[in-house]
PDB file of all heavy atoms in Angstrom:
ATOM      1  N   ILE A 101     -23.217  12.114  26.547  1.00  0.00           N
ATOM      2  CA  ILE A 101     -23.898  10.837  26.367  1.00  0.00           C
ATOM      3  C   ILE A 101     -22.867   9.769  26.664  1.00  0.00           C
ATOM      4  O   ILE A 101     -21.733   9.851  26.177  1.00  0.00           O
ATOM      5  CB  ILE A 101     -24.415  10.722  24.909  1.00  0.00           C
ATOM      6  CG1 ILE A 101     -25.474  11.774  24.657  1.00  0.00           C
ATOM      7  CG2 ILE A 101     -24.956   9.332  24.636  1.00  0.00           C
ATOM      8  CD1 ILE A 101     -26.025  11.775  23.257  1.00  0.00           C
ATOM      9  N   SER A 102     -23.233   8.775  27.448  1.00  0.00           N
ATOM     10  CA  SER A 102     -22.251   7.770  27.840  1.00  0.00           C
ATOM     11  C   SER A 102     -21.930   6.880  26.652  1.00  0.00           C
ATOM     12  O   SER A 102     -22.688   6.814  25.680  1.00  0.00           O
ATOM     13  CB  SER A 102     -22.798   6.922  28.986  1.00  0.00           C
ATOM     14  OG  SER A 102     -23.840   6.103  28.481  1.00  0.00           O
ATOM     15  N   GLU A 103     -20.799   6.171  26.769  1.00  0.00           N
ATOM     16  CA  GLU A 103     -20.369   5.306  25.669  1.00  0.00           C
ATOM     17  C   GLU A 103     -21.383   4.200  25.416  1.00  0.00           C
ATOM     18  O   GLU A 103     -21.638   3.824  24.264  1.00  0.00           O
ATOM     19  CB  GLU A 103     -19.013   4.704  25.997  1.00  0.00           C
ATOM     20  CG  GLU A 103     -18.220   4.365  24.734  1.00  0.00           C
ATOM     21  CD  GLU A 103     -16.851   3.797  25.035  1.00  0.00           C
ATOM     22  OE1 GLU A 103     -16.088   4.475  25.753  1.00  0.00           O
ATOM     23  OE2 GLU A 103     -16.580   2.680  24.565  1.00  0.00           O
ATOM     24  N   THR A 104     -21.970   3.714  26.497  1.00  0.00           N
ATOM     25  CA  THR A 104     -22.976   2.646  26.357  1.00  0.00           C
ATOM     26  C   THR A 104     -24.171   3.159  25.564  1.00  0.00           C
ATOM     27  O   THR A 104     -24.692   2.474  24.672  1.00  0.00           O
ATOM     28  CB  THR A 104     -23.482   2.172  27.745  1.00  0.00           C
ATOM     29  OG1 THR A 104     -22.354   2.083  28.606  1.00  0.00           O
ATOM     30  CG2 THR A 104     -24.185   0.841  27.650  1.00  0.00           C
ATOM     31  N   GLN A 105     -24.575   4.372  25.904  1.00  0.00           N
ATOM     32  CA  GLN A 105     -25.716   4.962  25.199  1.00  0.00           C
ATOM     33  C   GLN A 105     -25.369   5.197  23.725  1.00  0.00           C
ATOM     34  O   GLN A 105     -26.196   4.962  22.834  1.00  0.00           O
ATOM     35  CB  GLN A 105     -26.101   6.297  25.841  1.00  0.00           C
ATOM     36  CG  GLN A 105     -26.827   6.155  27.168  1.00  0.00           C
ATOM     37  CD  GLN A 105     -27.047   7.504  27.841  1.00  0.00           C
ATOM     38  OE1 GLN A 105     -26.158   8.346  27.888  1.00  0.00           O
ATOM     39  NE2 GLN A 105     -28.232   7.701  28.382  1.00  0.00           N
ATOM     40  N   GLU A 106     -24.129   5.659  23.477  1.00  0.00           N
ATOM     41  CA  GLU A 106     -23.688   5.885  22.092  1.00  0.00           C
ATOM     42  C   GLU A 106     -23.826   4.594  21.285  1.00  0.00           C
ATOM     43  O   GLU A 106     -24.371   4.597  20.184  1.00  0.00           O
ATOM     44  CB  GLU A 106     -22.205   6.271  22.066  1.00  0.00           C
ATOM     45  CG  GLU A 106     -21.916   7.756  22.076  1.00  0.00           C
ATOM     46  CD  GLU A 106     -20.420   8.038  21.929  1.00  0.00           C
ATOM     47  OE1 GLU A 106     -19.889   7.769  20.845  1.00  0.00           O
ATOM     48  OE2 GLU A 106     -19.804   8.518  22.896  1.00  0.00           O
ATOM     49  N   LYS A 107     -23.311   3.500  21.874  1.00  0.00           N
ATOM     50  CA  LYS A 107     -23.332   2.208  21.161  1.00  0.00           C
ATOM     51  C   LYS A 107     -24.760   1.814  20.831  1.00  0.00           C
ATOM     52  O   LYS A 107     -25.067   1.374  19.726  1.00  0.00           O
ATOM     53  CB  LYS A 107     -22.719   1.112  22.045  1.00  0.00           C
ATOM     54  CG  LYS A 107     -21.214   1.060  21.999  1.00  0.00           C
ATOM     55  CD  LYS A 107     -20.670  -0.138  22.782  1.00  0.00           C
ATOM     56  CE  LYS A 107     -19.151  -0.057  22.842  1.00  0.00           C
ATOM     57  NZ  LYS A 107     -18.549  -0.757  23.926  1.00  0.00           N
ATOM     58  N   GLU A 108     -25.615   2.012  21.834  1.00  0.00           N
ATOM     59  CA  GLU A 108     -27.013   1.608  21.669  1.00  0.00           C
ATOM     60  C   GLU A 108     -27.675   2.410  20.547  1.00  0.00           C
ATOM     61  O   GLU A 108     -28.403   1.873  19.703  1.00  0.00           O
ATOM     62  CB  GLU A 108     -27.739   1.870  22.983  1.00  0.00           C
ATOM     63  CG  GLU A 108     -28.948   0.997  23.225  1.00  0.00           C
ATOM     64  CD  GLU A 108     -29.637   1.384  24.527  1.00  0.00           C
ATOM     65  OE1 GLU A 108     -28.962   1.329  25.569  1.00  0.00           O
ATOM     66  OE2 GLU A 108     -30.814   1.765  24.446  1.00  0.00           O
ATOM     67  N   ILE A 109     -27.390   3.698  20.537  1.00  0.00           N
ATOM     68  CA  ILE A 109     -28.002   4.586  19.539  1.00  0.00           C
ATOM     69  C   ILE A 109     -27.546   4.189  18.138  1.00  0.00           C
ATOM     70  O   ILE A 109     -28.358   4.074  17.208  1.00  0.00           O
ATOM     71  CB  ILE A 109     -27.645   6.068  19.820  1.00  0.00           C
ATOM     72  CG1 ILE A 109     -28.317   6.537  21.120  1.00  0.00           C
ATOM     73  CG2 ILE A 109     -28.079   6.964  18.667  1.00  0.00           C
ATOM     74  CD1 ILE A 109     -27.787   7.861  21.642  1.00  0.00           C
ATOM     75  N   ILE A 110     -26.250   3.964  17.980  1.00  0.00           N
ATOM     76  CA  ILE A 110     -25.716   3.621  16.654  1.00  0.00           C
ATOM     77  C   ILE A 110     -26.232   2.252  16.212  1.00  0.00           C
ATOM     78  O   ILE A 110     -26.550   2.050  15.035  1.00  0.00           O
ATOM     79  CB  ILE A 110     -24.170   3.664  16.661  1.00  0.00           C
ATOM     80  CG1 ILE A 110     -23.679   5.106  16.893  1.00  0.00           C
ATOM     81  CG2 ILE A 110     -23.582   3.119  15.369  1.00  0.00           C
ATOM     82  CD1 ILE A 110     -24.103   6.098  15.823  1.00  0.00           C
ATOM     83  N   LEU A 111     -26.353   1.321  17.179  1.00  0.00           N
ATOM     84  CA  LEU A 111     -26.864  -0.018  16.843  1.00  0.00           C
ATOM     85  C   LEU A 111     -28.270   0.055  16.278  1.00  0.00           C
ATOM     86  O   LEU A 111     -28.627  -0.654  15.346  1.00  0.00           O
ATOM     87  CB  LEU A 111     -26.891  -0.899  18.094  1.00  0.00           C
ATOM     88  CG  LEU A 111     -25.664  -1.773  18.334  1.00  0.00           C
ATOM     89  CD1 LEU A 111     -25.737  -2.425  19.703  1.00  0.00           C
ATOM     90  CD2 LEU A 111     -25.534  -2.841  17.246  1.00  0.00           C
ATOM     91  N   LYS A 112     -29.072   0.931  16.908  1.00  0.00           N
ATOM     92  CA  LYS A 112     -30.491   1.001  16.524  1.00  0.00           C
ATOM     93  C   LYS A 112     -30.707   1.834  15.256  1.00  0.00           C
ATOM     94  O   LYS A 112     -31.714   1.677  14.575  1.00  0.00           O
ATOM     95  CB  LYS A 112     -31.312   1.608  17.665  1.00  0.00           C
ATOM     96  CG  LYS A 112     -31.527   0.665  18.828  1.00  0.00           C
ATOM     97  CD  LYS A 112     -32.449   1.272  19.860  1.00  0.00           C
ATOM     98  CE  LYS A 112     -32.647   0.276  21.006  1.00  0.00           C
ATOM     99  NZ  LYS A 112     -33.320   0.910  22.147  1.00  0.00           N
TER     100      LYS A 112
END
Side-chain angles (χ1 to χ4, degrees):
Chain A
I101 295 179
S102 70
E103 207 179 304
T104 318
Q105 285 174 316
E106 266 185 68
K107 277 186 186 157
E108 206 183 302
I109 292 167
I110 294 299
L111 266 171
K112 286 185 179 169

